Amino acid sequence: MQIRNTAARYGWLAIVVHWVVAVAVLGLFALGFWMVDLTYYDDWYRRAPDIHRSIGVLLFALMLLRLLWRFLARAPDPVPTHKRWETLSAHAAHGLLYVLVFVALVSGYLISTADGSSVSVFGWFDVPSLTGRIQGLEDTAGLVHYWSTWALIGLVAVHAAGALKHHFVDRDETLRRMLSPARKDK
């Protein structure tokens, strides 16, 4: 297996990072959706937000590495059977996915640090507030976080539907390229 992408397939690093990000995004959304209804006396009232914030900070770091890797390792060429509009819409969707992930992560960070406090990442290290105390920041960031995460999940659903359409209807290599890494040339 090859770490780097080839003209035809993704390498194992891009594949692993893609699926880790996918699981983290879906998991954070599910956890966030669930935890907003917790009551003060629930055992998870403090633990769930701590886990949510910690994974969010780690996901931010992984997304920065993913973005760097995207610039260092070229993506495979489009599948030859794809129409031009499919290729252009895929590029636009991927760009928007990146933007929405970063907007959701930054707004989540701003919610947590609006009072000037830092974010503890599983007790391993703290990420300090960059803004200090800003009146109303928590509410504004909360709205941005809410709507960007819903938009992100909607776009993820479209992205997954497109991959499944290419796999089951078009029967092309689109999904298989993200499931099976490129092989090293012998």
Side-chain angles (χ1 to χ4, degrees):
M1 287 191 289
Q2 189 166 320
I3 190 172
R4 296 185 65 88
N5 303 337
T6 66
R9 294 187 95 73
Y10 289 97
W12 70 263
L13 183 62
I15 292 172
V16 168
V17 170
H18 173 272
W19 291 109
V20 168
V21 168
V23 168
V25 165
L26 294 173
L28 284 171
F29 182 81
L31 180 59
F33 189 78
W34 172 73
M35 74 182 188
V36 294
D37 290 330
L38 295 175
T39 64
Y40 180 79
Y41 297 103
D42 195 301
D43 291 340
W44 284 91
Y45 181 77
R46 284 187 179 70
R47 193 174 334 162
D50 287 343
I51 292 169
H52 189 82
R53 285 187 288 265
S54 293
I55 293 172
V57 168
L58 295 176
L59 179 58
F60 183 81
L62 181 61
M63 284 298 296
L64 290 177
L65 290 173
R66 182 179 189 175
L67 200 55
L68 177 64
W69 184 252
R70 182 122 171 116
F71 288 114
L72 295 176
R74 66 174 268 207
D77 296 334
V79 174
T81 57
H82 287 183
K83 296 171 183 67
R84 180 158 170 73
W85 71 266
E86 288 176 310
T87 301
L88 292 174
S89 63
H91 286 299
H94 283 110
L96 189 53
L97 281 168
Y98 275 86
V99 168
L100 287 171
V101 168
F102 279 112
V103 168
L105 293 169
V106 169
S107 60
Y109 165 80
L110 291 174
I111 293 168
S112 298
T113 61
D115 63 355
S117 62
S118 60
V119 174
S120 175
V121 179
F122 294 117
W124 302 335
F125 60 93
D126 291 343
V127 179
S129 172
L130 296 177
T131 60
R133 294 176 189 250
I134 297 179
Q135 188 72 27
L137 178 60
E138 186 175 5
D139 294 333
T140 303
L143 277 172
V144 170
H145 191 68
Y146 179 84
W147 289 111
S148 65
T149 55
W150 275 104
L152 176 59
I153 291 302
L155 189 53
V156 164
V158 170
H159 177 68
L164 293 172
K165 177 249 186 204
H166 281 290
H167 189 71
F168 292 111
V169 176
D170 299 342
R171 298 189 184 280
D172 65 28
E173 289 293 307
T174 303
L175 182 58
R176 284 188 286 272
R177 294 188 329 168
M178 192 45 75
L179 294 173
S180 175
R183 303 264 186 243
K184 279 194 173 187
D185 295 331
K186 293 183 179 183

